[in-house]
């Protein structure tokens, strides 16, 4: 026994320290956290290597205009998208009017249309050469643009309108769930005390929904900050566009990294603001399932005004864009557009998105199950770090990945040369591997969020029973957790796959030569002033994006039926 003790004691101590989790899973969790942090550390390193004169040039020539445009854009989108999202959610929840059920189901649909596609379509429709202004000139007898005034779509205000038309559903969905689950007793007491509808909305509904609204608005602002296609096309020099132009057009990697660091600081402020908006605001579900608020019927002009108010966002954010795309595809001939080149780009998109989805799900399962099995502070911290990726804009992520990816390629090349004596080129940067890594980092939080929510529904008693029967951690994961996670896995796979297909910023900056996805194909046609040539690719992106939105609508409608009414504490 004395000879065996030194051999088994370290293993036993290590197993006890890991709290039963396999060592390999903890190593992978830490490695994933390091992978997420690597581009951010690299970004700071690149920015610090820039000369002092470069920073002075950036602060004088680029940052003032970029910060002004970014600030105006974020403030305008927050105000407009927040107003539309909250207002429509309150109307369809608290009132009855013609078409209420239909518009309630359709209001989230603009999420299926990426902001850059909406921007391209709105320019085609509302620009000076578009059908709207041409029709006005023909109708009114105007001969030139100087004879009349029309809102300029290629402006910061046009960009605010376009992004708000697409992004308001984030606020709408969050607000609607909260409004649906509010207790009727509070509303009835307020009505008894003589509160008007507006007073009920301002004094009761909004304060109770504030945590959800903070989350919805933060998602809106992060999406607006990440956008590059719409901002660049509409002539708005945001920080994202400035990073892109400074890096590629001016050839200054350090200058782009410095702007990216400023952008990261804004992301941190947005996340901190979202947490502040939810401070000391916890809502629990009553086990008694009290009555929820019943909608009040509207009549006459008020009813039709409510219908119009809810139908207009759907028209501008979904019906108009998809109608334009369908018209262009039919007008140009569907069969003529489905050529070998298009099919090649489609297969590239599906391949990249599929590989990235599988990798993201694999790492997500390891992160979530290891955190569940070990319940270590280390795994919790690593899981939190892995969640940073979605908040990092695609341009910032792509810029930060350059050095780590080149370092990995250099190491692999050195190892291959030592083993075979031959040289190999760039593996990750010379192929689509860099894009897959960027997708993995950016969309891993979607997978871990869905899987964590699914695993929380698994009773710990099942795992305890498995341990009592002698099941090892690997068996607990394969035989209990993963089978019960199948619905969450399917949901996470769909969300990640669709987001990969729509992603433009990181794909645009990391793609190798002669590699096109549907998103970059649409971007290329729009940049050449021939967006209609990419209408089929844009339509495919939108139709695929409808799948998770429909699933999201069903989940949002089912949540209030499963839950009771919230009570503030």
């Amino acid at each position: 026994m004395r000879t065996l003790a030194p051999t088994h004691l370290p293993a036993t101590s290590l197993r006890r320290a890991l709290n039963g989790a396999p060592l390999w899973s903890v190593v992978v969790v830490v490695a994933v956290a390091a992978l997420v942090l690597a581009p951010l550390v690299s970004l700071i390193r690149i920015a610090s290597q820039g000369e002092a004169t470069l920073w002075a040039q950036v602060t004088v020539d680029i940052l003032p205009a970029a910060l002004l445009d970014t600030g105006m854009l974020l403030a305008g989108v927050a105000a407009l998208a927040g107003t539309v999202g909250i207002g429509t959610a309150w109307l369809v929840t608290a009132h009855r009017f013609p078409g209420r059920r239909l518009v309630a189901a359709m209001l989230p649909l603009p999420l299926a249309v990426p902001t850059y596609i909406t921007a391209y379509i709105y320019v085609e429709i509302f620009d000076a050469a578009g059908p709207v202004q041409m029709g006005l000139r023909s109708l009114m007898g105007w001969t030139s643009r100087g004879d009349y005034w029309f809102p300029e779509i290629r402006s910061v205000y046009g960009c605010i309108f376009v992004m708000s038309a697409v992004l308001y559903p984030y606020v709408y969905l969050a607000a609607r769930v909260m409004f649906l689950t509010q207790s009727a007793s509070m509303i009835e007491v307020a009505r008894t005390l003589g509160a008007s509808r507006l007073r009920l909305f301002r004094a009761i509904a909004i304060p109770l929904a504030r945590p959800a609204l903070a989350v919805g608005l933060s998602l809106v602002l992060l999406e607006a900050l990440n956008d590059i296609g719409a901002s660049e096309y509409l002539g708005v020099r945001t920080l994202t566009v400035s990073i892109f132009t400074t890096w590629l057009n001016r050839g200054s990697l350090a200058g782009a990294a410095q702007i990216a660091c400023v952008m990261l600081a804004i992301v941190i402020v947005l996340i901190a603001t979202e947490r502040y908006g939810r401070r000391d605001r916890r809502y629990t579900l009553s086990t008694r399932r009290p009555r929820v608020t019943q909608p009040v019927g509207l009549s006459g002009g008020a009813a039709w005004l409510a219908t119009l108010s809810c139908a207009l966002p759907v028209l501008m954010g979904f019906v108009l864009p998809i109608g334009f795309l369908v018209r262009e595809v039919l007008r140009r001939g569907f069969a003529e557009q489905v050529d070998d080149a298009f099919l090649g780009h489609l297969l590239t998109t599906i391949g990249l998105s599929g590989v990235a989805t599988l990798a993201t799900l694999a790492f997500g399962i390891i992160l979530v199950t290891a955190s569940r099995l070990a319940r270590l502070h280390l795994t919790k911290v690593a899981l939190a770090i892995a969640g940073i990726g979605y908040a990092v804009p695609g341009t910032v992520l792509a810029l930060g990945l350059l050095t780590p990816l080149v370092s990995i390629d250099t190491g692999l090349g050195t190892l291959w040369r030592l083993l075979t004596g031959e040289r190999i080129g760039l593996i990750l940067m010379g192929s689509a591997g860099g894009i897959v890594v960027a997708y993995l980092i950016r969309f891993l939080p979607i997978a871990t969020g869905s899987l964590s929510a699914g695993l929380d529904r698994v009773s710990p008693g099942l795992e305890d029973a498995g341990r009592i029967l002698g099941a090892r951690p690997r068996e607990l994961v394969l035989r209990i957790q993963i089978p019960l996670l199948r619905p969450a896995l399917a949901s996470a796979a769909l969300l990640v796959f669709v987001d990969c297909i729509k992603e433009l910023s990181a794909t645009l900056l990391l793609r190798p030569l002669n590699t096109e996805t549907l998103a970059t194909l649409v971007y290329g046609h729009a940049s050449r002033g021939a967006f209609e040539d990419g209408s089929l690719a844009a339509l495919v992106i939108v139709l695929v994006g409808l799948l998770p939105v429909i699933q999201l609508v069903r989940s949002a409608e089912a949540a209030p039926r499963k839950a009771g009414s919230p009570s503030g504490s």
Side-chain angles (χ1 to χ4, degrees):
M1 296 297 295
R2 290 180 180 178
T3 58
L4 294 176
T7 303
H8 291 279
L9 183 58
T12 303
S13 301
L14 179 62
R15 191 179 298 110
R16 187 180 299 114
L18 296 178
N19 201 19
L23 175 61
W24 65 269
S25 66
V26 178
V27 172
V28 172
V29 168
V30 175
V32 172
L35 177 65
V36 174
L37 286 178
L40 305 183
V41 174
S42 172
L43 188 70
I44 296 173
R45 178 174 173 272
I46 295 173
S48 64
Q49 292 176 343
E51 299 178 358
T53 55
L54 176 61
W55 174 245
Q57 182 182 2
V58 168
T59 55
V60 173
D61 297 338
I62 301 175
L63 275 182
L67 286 173
L68 178 62
D69 281 3
T70 303
M72 291 179 63
L73 179 65
L74 295 183
V77 170
L80 185 55
T83 301
V84 173
I86 296 171
T88 53
W90 178 250
L91 283 175
V92 300
T93 304
H95 303 88
R96 289 193 305 270
F97 50 86
R100 169 177 166 266
R101 291 183 179 275
L102 179 61
V103 294
M106 294 188 68
L107 277 165
L109 295 184
L111 280 181
V113 190
T115 51
Y116 56 89
I117 290 180
T118 307
Y120 302 153
I121 292 171
Y122 269 58
V123 168
E124 292 291 324
I125 296 175
F126 295 106
D127 203 18
V132 173
Q133 292 199 48
M134 288 180 63
L136 285 175
R137 289 195 295 268
S138 176
L139 180 64
M140 304 301 296
W142 295 322
T143 58
S144 66
R145 183 68 173 83
D147 295 338
Y148 63 99
W149 178 87
F150 192 86
E152 181 58 59
I153 191 66
R154 291 180 181 268
S155 66
V156 66
Y157 303 105
C159 194
I160 289 172
F161 180 79
V162 167
M163 289 192 178
S164 300
V166 174
L167 299 177
Y168 78 83
Y170 284 115
V171 182
Y172 166 80
L173 290 169
R176 178 156 164 74
V177 170
M178 293 301 295
F179 291 156
L180 280 171
T181 54
Q182 287 179 0
S183 174
S185 59
M186 291 180 288
I187 303 294
E188 290 171 353
V189 169
R191 285 174 180 163
T192 303
L193 295 175
S196 63
R197 291 174 183 171
L198 182 60
R199 179 75 172 173
L200 289 173
F201 177 66
R202 293 173 54 190
I204 296 180
I206 292 296
L208 288 177
R210 194 177 77 177
L213 298 180
V215 174
L217 280 174
S218 66
L219 288 173
V220 168
L221 295 180
L222 287 174
E223 288 292 334
L225 196 60
N226 176 63
D227 172 82
I228 186 174
S231 302
E232 182 191 30
Y233 197 69
L234 297 177
V236 183
R237 290 180 55 189
T238 61
L239 288 169
T240 306
V241 175
S242 298
I243 293 172
F244 182 73
T245 55
T246 302
W247 178 7
L248 297 184
N249 296 348
R250 300 190 182 189
S252 176
L253 185 61
Q258 290 172 352
I259 301 173
C261 287
V262 175
M263 196 169 175
L264 274 180
I266 295 178
V267 170
I268 294 172
V269 170
L270 290 177
I271 296 175
T273 303
E274 182 265 329
R275 299 291 171 86
Y276 179 80
R278 293 189 289 119
R279 74 194 189 286
D280 301 327
R281 299 277 176 166
R282 294 183 303 153
Y283 294 84
T284 57
L285 297 177
S286 171
T287 57
R288 295 183 180 181
R289 298 174 64 89
R291 294 178 300 108
V292 295
T293 304
Q294 296 300 316
V296 177
L298 298 177
S299 60
W304 289 108
L305 181 60
T307 302
L308 178 62
S309 299
C310 293
L312 191 59
V314 178
L315 175 65
M316 302 304 294
F318 180 75
V319 176
L320 184 62
I322 201 169
F324 178 88
L325 292 177
V326 170
R327 171 182 171 272
E328 287 298 320
V329 170
L330 295 177
R331 187 172 66 88
R332 302 176 68 82
F334 178 79
E336 287 76 6
Q337 297 180 70
V338 186
D339 53 12
D340 292 340
F342 176 81
L343 292 177
H345 301 324
L346 179 62
L347 290 176
T348 299
T349 304
I350 294 174
L352 286 174
S353 301
V355 172
T357 299
L358 292 176
T360 303
L361 290 180
F363 282 109
I365 290 172
I366 294 172
L367 283 169
V368 172
T369 54
S371 178
R372 172 94 167 197
L373 291 174
R375 299 188 185 278
L376 299 173
H377 182 67
L378 176 64
T379 56
K380 292 180 180 178
V381 172
L383 195 62
I385 293 174
I388 298 175
Y390 192 76
V392 179
T395 49
V396 176
L397 183 61
L399 183 60
L401 276 173
L402 284 180
T403 299
L405 292 178
V406 170
S407 299
I408 293 174
D409 281 342
T410 302
L412 292 175
T414 301
L415 180 62
W416 182 260
R417 188 170 64 252
L418 292 175
L419 293 175
T420 65
E422 299 178 357
R423 294 180 178 272
I424 57 174
L426 297 176
I427 299 175
L428 294 177
M429 289 300 295
S431 67
I435 299 177
V436 173
V437 174
Y439 288 171
L440 169 64
I441 295 175
R442 179 150 170 74
F443 302 124
L444 183 60
I446 297 176
T448 56
S450 298
L451 296 176
S452 295
L455 201 57
D456 287 343
R457 299 189 182 97
V458 177
S459 173
L462 294 175
E463 298 169 355
D464 294 339
R467 290 188 181 97
I468 293 173
L469 294 174
R472 297 180 178 180
R474 183 181 301 175
E475 294 173 320
L476 290 176
V477 173
L478 295 178
R479 295 187 178 184
I480 296 178
Q481 293 181 350
I482 291 182
L484 293 175
L485 276 177
R486 284 176 182 171
L489 276 171
S491 175
L494 180 61
L495 291 172
V496 172
F497 183 78
V498 172
D499 275 344
C500 290
I501 287 179
K502 295 193 296 184
E503 172 62 28
L504 176 63
S505 303
T507 311
L508 196 62
L509 297 174
L510 291 175
R511 59 176 176 159
L513 293 175
N514 301 321
T515 298
E516 293 278 6
T517 65
L518 293 182
T520 60
L521 182 65
V522 173
Y523 174 86
H525 285 305
S527 300
R528 293 189 293 270
F531 167 67
E532 61 275 7
D533 292 340
S535 55
L536 179 58
L539 183 60
V540 171
I541 293 174
V542 173
L543 293 179
V544 173
L546 276 176
L547 299 176
V549 174
I550 293 173
Q551 183 188 54
L552 195 62
V553 171
R554 291 177 177 174
S555 301
E557 293 294 334
R561 293 194 294 267
K562 295 179 181 179
S565 175
S567 57
S569 63

